[in-house]
Amino acid sequence: MKKHLSFGSMLPMAVLLAMLFAAIHPGFVLAEGEAPETPPTEISSPDTTEPEHEIINAVEQLSDANAVIVDQNGAVVPLASQTALDALCDPDPWFYGSLCSGGICRGLDLIPPNNDGFLTLQDAVNNWVAKKGYGMIYLEGNYVGNNNAITINGTIAGMNTLKGIVRDTTSFGDVPVLQGGLYIQNFKAGFILRGFRIVSPSGNGIYMAYNAGTIRLTDITITNSTGSGIYIYGNKGSIILERVSATGNRFEGSYLSNQYFSGATEISTGNITIINSEFLRNGWVGNYNSPGLSISSKNSILINGVTSSGNNGNGLNLGVDGTVIIKNSVFSNNTADPDNSEYYGFGIFTYSGHSGSITLDNVILMNNENGGALLSTTGNIILKKVSAISNHPGIRIATDATTWGAGAKNVTITDGYFSKSTLENLIIYASGSVTITNLISTYSSSGTGLIINNTFATTPLPVTLNNINLSNNGSWLGGYIESKGTITVNGAIANGNGLYGLQLKNDGAGSSGNIVVIGTLGKNIFDGNSTGLWVQTSRNVSLSALQSNGNSSQGIIIEGTGTSSNVILSGVEALNNGSQGINISTTGTVTISKTVASGNGNNGLYIDNDSAITAKSVLISNSIFNNNLNFGYGIQVLSVGTITLSGVIANENGTSGALLNNSVISLV
């Protein structure tokens, strides 16, 4: 016999179970005014195979304890009556069909041929208040909802006890499918969506607005050819997406915002987390640029295990102020149609004004039409194990896509791989220190491998490059570094670039740092460029463990423009360059040892420090300058200080072994 009793007509099962518990444990009571424990937000499916004798035993124990059931008018219902049995069999608010026969209650499917429950999700929603529902609406396997958009409003009396819509994992069949959107608004204690698909609704797939508490979407798939996939707006709380797929939506794959206004102040509560999810091929090609994933928040963001690719717009938009961590994720093949190169076609696009730190860890940025990533914050940026391949450019850390303003405070990069960008592979404009360790930035077709400028700092701050490779970058530079602080290079390779291998510059107003090139991490090599290494500084220069060979123009250029810019070279090699091997113009002392500059097209070594305010010495020792051609000298020195040569060899040069021009010369 089928029973569908109104929950308002009989005492619900939860109360009966409480009475049974009290009968078994008579010492357990609630104090006056004490509320029972709130049920959990996620309720598992009821046992659909409960044996008959358990119901009968429950009745007998209630009877032995002198328990009674009353109807809605207060009249006592005998426990031995069929009416009482019906009440016991009447289900708690699980939106299943129910069959009660012979004292046994079992859940049935929501779909034909059983027809014992609500046939559609809309029916379940419509009956929620009347049935005094609490907890979840469960969708059984194979459910297909041929419905229009379903609107669920938490302001309706009795509706706010609904906690979510989820798949019943105890039922067999395919994943439930909704063919209409879900519009969920004004719930104050969070909401859960789990375990179903939304296919081709009109409007938005999932629209959630002005809710509070944690919004959680798990195992949700959305494909919407007419609108956005997921649109969560103005949530007062955290938003969590796990194993979500938003694919082929006409507009955004997912837009997530937990920002809202309190008066005139925009605030956020809660964090946003996206885990193991994908946002693919979203956006209306030729008409509208839409991101795969867009986030607006003032609090922390965690993105882990996300793929956002093939979108007509950006892979990820970030309009945030809190800490951002992006891990184990891929942003690729995002385009812009119609073209708007300033804002669209990026793997990751961060709007200016962000103030929190940004971390990318094990992230791939590939084949994005505009850039792999535009990162902008007044906080710190950390890149670990980031690959940016075939973008335009690779990663740009800057105020925006077109200006030179600082895009970060301190920048730290480790184990980076940047290659084949049509413009620069990596651009960093910072207002703090910059440290890069283990970087490969190669084969930019028409740009520079690495650009760093941290002159935006209020005080001089350092740039440190450890174990970097900046080779084969088209018609431009391997690397351009500009700072007011000390620039340190240790173990750099910059070969085969169209212009300079590496340019180091800290000679601007307010600069106070030195330039240091050392080889404790490996020899520094600048071969096969136009010019190998160009140094411009207002302070001191120290180069060691360095070779700059086979460049079409000069091997090494050093320009010291300070009041006294001293230069030290030790263990330096400049061979077979098209023009001069080593060219030094400075205002300080010059000390050179264990250096070879031979086979160059002009001078092997050229030194000019005769513009020094006071006499500055030149000392060259234990070095070789042979076979420099085309009227070149082995050594040419112009100075107003003492010139000293010790243990120097300069043979078979085009003009002379040495031309030393000063009033004080010492040959030892």
Side-chain angles (χ1 to χ4, degrees):
M1 179 172 61
K2 299 178 182 178
K3 298 293 179 184
H4 299 286
L5 298 180
S6 168
F7 291 162
S9 65
M10 287 293 172
L11 197 63
M13 177 67 78
V15 177
L16 292 171
L17 293 177
M19 293 172 61
L20 175 58
F21 186 85
I24 299 171
H25 304 279
F28 178 81
V29 294
L30 291 174
E32 183 177 353
E34 183 177 353
E37 182 179 355
T38 302
T41 57
E42 295 189 44
I43 305 174
S44 60
S45 300
D47 187 350
T48 60
T49 61
E50 185 177 9
E52 178 180 357
H53 74 271
E54 292 188 10
I55 296 295
I56 296 172
N57 288 340
V59 175
E60 290 176 348
Q61 291 183 62
L62 287 169
S63 179
D64 291 341
N66 296 318
V68 296
I69 301 175
V70 295
D71 64 16
Q72 61 186 357
N73 298 316
V76 174
V77 178
L79 284 172
S81 67
Q82 180 63 44
T83 305
L85 182 59
D86 289 343
L88 290 171
C89 287
D90 198 16
D92 274 337
W94 305 86
F95 277 74
Y96 289 98
S98 178
L99 174 65
C100 293
S101 178
I104 300 175
C105 299
R106 293 187 177 91
L108 296 177
D109 292 335
L110 289 171
I111 61 174
N114 298 298
N115 294 322
D116 291 293
F118 300 106
L119 296 180
T120 69
L121 176 58
Q122 184 69 70
D123 290 338
V125 171
N126 293 344
N127 282 276
W128 183 264
V129 175
K131 295 291 186 179
K132 297 184 180 178
Y134 187 95
M136 308 292 180
I137 293 176
Y138 283 82
L139 304 177
E140 291 189 334
N142 291 328
Y143 174 75
V144 177
N146 295 304
N147 51 272
N148 295 319
I150 296 175
T151 298
I152 309 175
N153 197 326
T155 60
I156 297 174
M159 184 58 71
N160 60 7
T161 59
L162 178 60
K163 304 302 180 185
I165 301 170
V166 302
R167 180 184 181 179
D168 171 23
T169 57
T170 68
S171 66
F172 296 101
D174 294 334
V175 173
V177 177
L178 305 183
Q179 294 181 331
L182 283 175
Y183 291 72
I184 299 167
Q185 305 172 58
N186 301 309
F187 282 84
K188 303 305 180 185
F191 209 88
I192 296 172
L193 299 175
R194 183 174 68 234
F196 57 86
R197 292 191 296 143
I198 295 180
V199 180
S200 299
S202 59
N204 295 305
I206 293 175
Y207 179 85
M208 307 179 78
Y210 309 113
N211 299 291
T214 298
I215 299 296
R216 183 185 294 270
L217 277 62
T218 305
D219 296 321
I220 298 293
T221 300
I222 294 183
T223 300
N224 182 4
S225 61
T226 62
S228 298
I230 299 169
Y231 201 95
I232 301 176
Y233 175 74
N235 189 62
K236 296 181 180 180
S238 297
I239 301 171
I240 301 172
L241 273 60
E242 186 171 8
R243 296 187 300 276
V244 167
S245 176
T247 301
N249 297 284
R250 188 168 189 174
F251 300 130
E252 297 96 342
S254 292
Y255 174 82
L256 311 176
S257 171
N258 62 357
Q259 294 185 200
Y260 58 93
F261 282 93
S262 177
T265 303
E266 190 174 31
I267 60 177
S268 287
T269 57
N271 304 319
I272 295 179
T273 303
I274 303 99
I275 300 174
N276 297 336
S277 297
E278 62 180 11
F279 307 90
L280 309 177
R281 300 183 299 280
N282 300 287
W284 187 5
V285 175
N287 291 276
Y288 192 75
N289 288 299
S290 297
L293 173 62
S294 183
I295 299 175
S296 180
S297 178
K298 292 182 177 293
N299 291 342
S300 297
I301 309 298
L302 171 62
I303 297 171
N304 190 356
V306 166
T307 298
S308 188
S309 300
N311 301 288
N312 187 58
N314 300 319
L316 170 63
N317 278 357
L318 290 172
V320 294
D321 282 329
T323 298
V324 175
I325 298 176
I326 304 172
K327 302 173 63 176
N328 308 315
S329 297
V330 177
F331 304 89
S332 63
N333 297 102
N334 297 289
T335 60
D337 185 8
D339 287 334
N340 187 330
S341 59
E342 185 174 350
Y343 298 106
Y344 302 111
F346 291 85
I348 301 173
F349 184 93
T350 305
Y351 291 100
S352 60
H354 177 56
S355 60
S357 64
I358 299 174
T359 298
L360 274 60
D361 184 357
N362 193 29
V363 171
I364 296 174
L365 307 160
M366 182 179 291
N367 293 321
N368 296 288
E369 180 180 336
N370 194 342
L374 172 64
L375 305 179
S376 178
T377 181
T378 57
N380 300 328
I381 288 180
I382 299 173
L383 307 181
K384 297 186 292 185
K385 298 180 181 178
V386 172
S387 297
I389 304 168
S390 299
N391 301 286
H392 177 85
I395 291 182
R396 178 182 175 93
I397 298 174
T399 301
D400 55 44
T402 58
T403 62
W404 291 56
K409 189 175 182 181
N410 301 315
V411 177
T412 304
I413 300 175
T414 55
D415 300 320
Y417 181 76
F418 298 77
S419 187
K420 299 181 180 179
S421 297
T422 54
L423 292 177
E424 290 77 14
N425 280 332
L426 175 59
I427 308 168
I428 301 170
Y429 299 137
S431 61
S433 61
V434 178
T435 302
I436 299 179
T437 303
N438 301 333
L439 172 71
I440 296 174
S441 185
T442 58
Y443 293 101
S444 169
S445 61
S446 60
T448 295
L450 171 65
I451 294 176
I452 299 174
N453 186 330
N454 74 336
T455 61
F456 305 96
T458 55
T459 59
L461 291 172
V463 175
T464 304
L465 307 178
N466 296 319
N467 192 26
I468 62 172
N469 187 332
L470 310 173
S471 299
N472 301 304
N473 291 290
S475 58
W476 209 237
L477 289 79
Y480 175 86
I481 315 301
E482 184 172 0
S483 179
K484 294 179 182 178
T486 294
I487 301 173
T488 302
V489 178
N490 191 349
I493 298 174
N495 298 333
N497 298 286
L499 193 54
Y500 305 109
L502 184 61
Q503 182 176 356
L504 308 177
K505 178 178 174 66
N506 61 359
D507 62 347
S511 297
S512 62
N514 302 317
I515 290 180
V516 179
V517 179
I518 57 177
T520 59
L521 297 177
K523 180 181 283 190
N524 300 277
I525 302 174
F526 309 101
D527 293 349
N529 308 283
S530 175
T531 293
L533 175 64
W534 184 11
V535 173
Q536 299 167 282
T537 186
S538 58
R539 293 295 298 273
N540 301 321
V541 180
S542 175
L543 308 182
S544 61
L546 184 155
Q547 75 178 48
S548 186
N549 300 333
N551 298 285
S552 61
S553 183
Q554 302 188 70
I556 300 169
I557 301 174
I558 298 173
E559 298 176 357
T561 59
T563 56
S564 182
S565 296
N566 303 312
V567 176
I568 298 175
L569 273 61
S570 178
V572 173
E573 179 180 279
L575 307 177
N576 304 314
N577 297 287
S579 183
Q580 299 186 108
I582 302 171
N583 182 348
I584 301 172
S585 176
T586 189
T587 57
T589 62
V590 179
T591 303
I592 296 175
S593 64
K594 300 177 182 179
T595 291
V596 178
S598 300
N600 298 288
N602 202 282
N603 297 317
L605 170 64
Y606 176 85
I607 299 173
D608 181 353
N609 72 343
D610 66 358
S611 61
I613 297 174
T614 59
K616 301 296 180 180
S617 64
V618 174
L619 171 62
I620 305 171
S621 64
N622 303 316
S623 298
I624 299 173
F625 309 94
N626 294 335
N627 300 110
N628 296 289
L629 308 175
N630 298 324
F631 307 103
Y633 297 93
I635 303 170
Q636 183 176 4
V637 180
L638 305 176
S639 179
V640 293
T642 299
I643 302 173
T644 301
L645 274 60
S646 174
V648 171
I649 298 173
N651 296 328
E652 299 182 6
N653 294 284
T655 302
S656 300
L659 173 62
L660 310 177
N661 188 345
N662 194 7
S663 59
V664 181
I665 299 173
S666 175
L667 302 178
V668 181

